Structures are given as C-alpha cells and as structure tokens.
C-alpha cells in the first residue's frame, strides 16, 4: 500500500474510528464488485460514514489526497456503477439508513440514502400509502443507489420510475460542499431543475445523502393474471393491443421459455413450462375499474392467441405470480457460472421483432440467452448464461451484445432503460447520443467535478 493511501486511511480513521475504515485485502475484496459479471477491482480503502457531515469530510479528505471516490450502497447495480478503480476510496452509505420523516399531509417521506427500498414502501403502507418504484433488488437495494441509477421496476408502466418520485435531495459535491435541491411543493419552477440532474447521474456529479420522496395512496384493489402463449409474437401483439385499448396496467411482464423453465425449476410457482412465452398482467385501482380492465385484458390476450389466461384467486396467488418474475435473475443465474443481465429498451411496437432478434443472435453465436422484462414499457433483459473463464465464449457474448445494441438503436431504442451506463454500457453511449449531445454531458461533468474524482471511468470512454 502506498504512503499516500496509508495517509488517507489513517486520516479517515482518526476522524471516524478504525472500526469504520477498511484496508485489509480480505475486507476490500468484498467491495471490488457489484452485481455485474466479470468486473472487479479492489479499492484502496472503504469508509462507512453515518452523517452527511462525515460524507463531506470523506470527500474533502480524498480530494486532498487526490484519491478517486466511488459511492456504494448494497452493491446490487448491474452496469458496474459501483465497481471501484485502483486507488479509490469507497464511501459506503448503507449505515445511513434512517427514515427521517413521513408526512401524510403532504404525501412525502424523507429518508437517508442507505434506507432499503422495500423498507420505504412498507413504512408508507402502514399509513395507507405506497412507494411505487420496485426494482428487482428492492429487498436489499438502497434508495441512494436507486436515485443514482434512476431505477425502474415492475410497476414502471403505470407509475413511472425513481425520478418521478424524487421531490428533493441532499448531495455532497466534489468540493465537499453540501446542497439541498427541491422541496415538498408539487409545483416549483424556480431556476434550473438541478434535482433531476442528479437523478441517474451514477455518482459522477455528487454523493446523494438524503432523499425526499413522493408517496401515493394504496390502490383499493388489484387483479393479477398469467397469460401463456405458443409464440413470442402473440405475446407482443397482446401488449400492443392492451395499450391500444387505452389500458395502462400496473404490471405487464414477459418471460420467454428459457426463463420460464429456469424460474419454475427454481421457485415452483406453477408456470407452464411448455409455453413459448408468458405475460404476467396486473391492474390496480378502484374495484370496478380493476374488474373491467382485468376482463378486457383477458379478452385481448385470448383474441391474440393465448392458450390460457389464469386469474389469481387471491393476494397470495398474485404475489406468487409476481415472485416468479422477480425470481428470473436468480433462477437463470443457476444455469451457468456467469450470468450477464443486459438491459435495452425499444418502442413497444418493436418488441416482438426485438425478442426474435435476440433469439436469432443467440443461435448465430451459439449462446444461451434467457429473455424477460417489462414488456409494457419496452424494457427487455436479454440474459447471457455463460462462463467468464471461457475467452472464446465471452468474445461471442461481446459480438452478440454489439448486435443487439445496434438493432436497439436502429429501431429507436436506448442502450439502457434502468440499469445505467456505468462501465458496461459506456462503449455504446456516444453511438446513441451522437457527438454533440455526448460532449454536452461531459461539459456538465466537468463543471461539477473539474478534477474528475467522483466515480471516474464511468459513463464516459
């Protein structure tokens, strides 16, 4: 360990205590990676602040030592966003997990960045409210990480993504200064919307330490259904026709046959393993509206060729069906040593063609790909089941992914719908944005982090 790194760790330990600063190799190894396959690098040290003032101290100290700073929550990211670089200080916020205030009069909740996403929703539920964004990792992901990546989830079609619920946030800038952006007002057009600039910035513009979130009333009723198909095209047509009928379901999820079989083998929830695809559909709201929309969606699914449409009898069965979708990543991860969960989004009209293209790419390159995702908003997760120790196979994965990205952009899509750019998608960002828009992003980064110390190497090549 270099003298500079030792000095940084010692200075942090003097202020925060040795129990909140990690430097041993075996400890650092745990913070060398996130949920992204084949990306890992040990940091120089890891620190666990408990307050915003301590985060500011960590930033100022790292700045003096010219050490890169990487913010981390639970490490569930899927684009390498919290993978450190050599010599980096990892600022881990998962001990800053307090719920500061729930305000039922203004339908808001204020929490620290390390608060678990599901805890926020459960707390709101005790007051007849709920927090809609529900990423697959919600049981362990932190709200700070959700804000950094602008996370989505199963309910994104109807309720939107994290950005739609952030009313205010506190952030520590690269200078160590602390800013608060936003308030409880439903309307506020005073100055530039800097709050939204930080949402989805992946820790490259500042460290978010507190978040003020909008809550909504709990729906009075819901109905959950499972539609099974013999072709991918029929599932895609169902989605298009549901939207065309001006029905916006709470959830409209898709699993292909590879994923169905893996999930059923893993979770035993009663999925039809002979089906080429299934749609998990859920509507929520007023009981009468829910009944009408559920009947309409079932009729549309049948008209589009669904071989069966099953309605959950109660909440327990509904939760079981939704758990099947949430288990997709874990189920697929059991098949091969390495699981690469990708993330592209296309216009809904292009979904069926995109799913077919992914299957063709898998066949072309001799790869296993399970595809699932949020079909209602066009967000697909082609998941490579591979082995990072096999260099030839990993090269074929890279070729396939490049093809999928090219196809995605050719039909008007985006390289990432919810996982972020990070390390994994940065080679493709300029391809999507073009030179001028790409340079504009770099100008913003340079203005807020002129020394490039906040999560360097992410987003930009």
């Amino acid at each position: 360990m270099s003298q500079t790194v030792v000095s940084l760790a010692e200075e942090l330990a003097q202020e925060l205590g040795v129990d909140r600063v990690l430097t041993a190799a075996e400890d650092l190894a745990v913070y060398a990676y996130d949920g992204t396959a084949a990306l890992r690098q040990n940091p120089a040290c890891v620190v666990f602040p408990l307050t915003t003032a301590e985060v500011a101290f960590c930033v100022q100290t790292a700045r003096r030592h010219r050490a890169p700073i990487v913010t981390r929550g639970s490490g569930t990211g899927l684009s390498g966003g919290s993978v450190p670089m050599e010599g980096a200080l990892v600022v881990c916020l998962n001990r800053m997990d307090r719920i500061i205030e729930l305000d039922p009069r203004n339908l808001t909740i204020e929490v620290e960045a390390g608060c678990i996403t599901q805890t926020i929703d459960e707390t709101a539920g005790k007051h007849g409210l709920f927090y809609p964004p529900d990423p697959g990792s919600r049981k362990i992901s932190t709200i700070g990480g959700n804000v950094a990546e602008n996370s989505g989830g199963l309910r994104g079609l109807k309720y939107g993504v994290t950005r739609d619920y952030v009313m205010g946030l506190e952030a520590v800038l690269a200078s160590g200064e602390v800013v608060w952006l936003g308030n409880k007002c439903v309307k506020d057009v005073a100055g530039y919307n800097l709050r939204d600039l930080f949402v989805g910035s992946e820790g490259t513009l500042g460290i978010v330490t507190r978040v003020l979130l909008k809550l909504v009333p709990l729906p009075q009723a819901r109905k959950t259904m499972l539609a099974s198909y013999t072709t991918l095209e029929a599932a895609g047509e169902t989605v298009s026709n549901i939207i065309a009928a001006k029905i916006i379901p709470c959830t409209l999820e898709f699993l292909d046959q590879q994923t169905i079989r893996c999930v059923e083998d893993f979770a035993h929830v009663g999925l039809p393993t002979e089906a080429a695809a299934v749609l998990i559909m859920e509507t929520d709201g007023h009981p009468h509206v829910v009944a009408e929309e559920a009947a309409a969606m079932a009729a549309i699914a049948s008209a589009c060729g669904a071989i069966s449409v099953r309605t959950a009898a109660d909440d327990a069965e509904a939760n079981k069906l939704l758990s099947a979708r949430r288990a997709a990543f874990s189920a697929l991860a059991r098949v091969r040593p390495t699981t690469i969960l990708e993330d592209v989004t296309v216009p809904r009209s292009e979904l069926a063609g995109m799913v077919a293209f992914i299957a063709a790419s898998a066949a072309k390159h001799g790869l296993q790909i399970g595809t699932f995702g949020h079909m209602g908003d066009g967000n697909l997760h082609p998941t490579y089941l591979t082995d990072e120790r096999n260099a030839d196979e990993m090269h074929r994965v890279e070729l396939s992914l490049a093809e999928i990205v090219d196809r995605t952009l050719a039909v008007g899509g985006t390289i990432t719908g919810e996982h972020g750019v990070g390390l994994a998608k940065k080679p493709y960002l300029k391809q999507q944005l073009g030179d001028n828009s790409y340079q504009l992003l770099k100008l913003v980064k340079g203005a807020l982090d002129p020394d490039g110390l906040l999560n360097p190497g992410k987003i930009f090549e």
Side-chain angles (χ1 to χ4, degrees), residues 362-405:
K364 174 182 175 181
H365 295 285
L367 299 168
Q368 279 184 276
I369 302 179
T371 301
F372 62 95
H374 319 296
M375 212 166 194
D377 52 30
N379 189 191
L380 295 173
H381 296 309
T383 305
Y384 291 89
L385 312 178
T386 183
D387 186 344
E388 63 189 271
R389 298 167 297 185
N390 185 328
D392 175 69
E393 188 171 351
M394 289 300 287
H395 177 62
R396 285 183 277 125
V397 169
E398 291 171 3
L399 293 175
S400 171
L401 177 57
E403 286 180 354
I404 290 172
V405 167

Side-chain angles (χ1 to χ4, degrees), residues 48-328:
F48 299 90
L50 300 178
T51 66
T52 298
E54 289 184 350
V55 173
F57 172 80
C58 293
V59 170
Q60 292 161 351
T61 304
R63 185 180 180 86
R64 283 198 302 275
H65 291 276
R66 312 297 300 165
I69 304 165
V70 178
T71 312
R72 183 183 179 94
S74 296
T76 58
L78 292 164
S79 64
S82 59
V83 175
M85 65 183 299
E86 187 175 2
L89 168 66
V90 169
V91 179
C92 189
L93 301 182
N94 62 4
R95 298 186 188 180
M96 293 177 61
D97 60 355
R98 290 186 306 133
I99 294 174
I100 297 168
E101 179 196 48
L102 191 146
D103 182 352
R105 297 178 66 189
N106 287 299
L107 302 183
T108 63
I109 187 170
E110 185 177 341
V111 298
E112 291 183 319
C115 194
I116 300 298
T117 312
Q118 182 165 294
T119 301
I120 294 170
D121 187 34
E122 290 173 346
T123 302
K126 296 173 183 176
H127 297 264
L129 303 169
F130 88 120
Y131 176 67
D134 60 336
S137 57
R138 66 180 188 152
K139 290 184 179 180
I140 53 173
S141 65
T142 64
I143 192 63
N146 291 175
V147 170
E149 301 294 341
N150 191 24
S151 301
L154 275 64
R155 296 190 283 242
L157 170 61
K158 180 175 181 177
Y159 289 103
V161 296
T162 301
R163 173 177 280 117
D164 300 308
Y165 295 87
V166 177
M167 298 186 72
L169 59 83
E170 178 183 73
V172 178
L173 303 180
S175 62
E177 297 172 292
V178 179
V179 295
W180 176 266
L181 307 169
N183 51 51
K184 293 182 181 180
C185 298
V186 175
K187 293 181 178 179
D188 179 6
V189 294
Y192 299 133
N193 190 345
L194 296 177
R195 175 197 64 213
D196 277 9
L197 181 63
F198 278 80
V199 180
S201 63
E202 303 188 28
T204 63
L205 304 181
I207 299 177
V208 174
T209 52
R210 281 194 297 151
V211 189
L212 178 67
L213 298 165
K214 176 177 72 174
L215 302 175
V216 297
L218 271 170
Q220 296 177 40
R222 65 169 177 156
K223 278 191 180 295
T224 309
M225 295 170 288
L226 178 73
S228 307
Y229 299 87
T230 57
T231 68
L232 301 174
E233 290 75 15
E237 184 183 3
T238 300
V239 172
S240 297
N241 288 358
I242 287 173
I243 302 302
K246 300 180 178 61
I247 298 171
I248 306 298
C250 168
T251 297
L252 194 49
E253 295 292 305
F254 163 82
L255 286 77
D256 72 356
Q257 189 174 74
Q258 170 87 57
T259 309
I260 293 166
R261 291 178 173 177
C262 288
V263 169
E264 184 58 26
D265 184 57
F266 173 65
H268 308 293
V269 293
L271 296 182
T273 55
E274 75 285 354
V278 298
L279 289 179
I280 299 171
M281 309 179 292
E282 182 172 276
T283 175
D284 66 0
H286 189 279
H288 294 303
V289 174
V290 167
E292 290 175 359
E293 289 188 346
M297 288 195 292
I300 290 170
S302 296
C304 289
I307 53 177
S308 71
V309 181
R310 171 177 136 209
T311 301
D314 50 31
D315 282 349
E317 188 178 357
N319 290 334
K320 194 174 182 180
L321 289 176
L322 292 172
S323 72
R325 166 58 183 85
R326 296 189 192 281

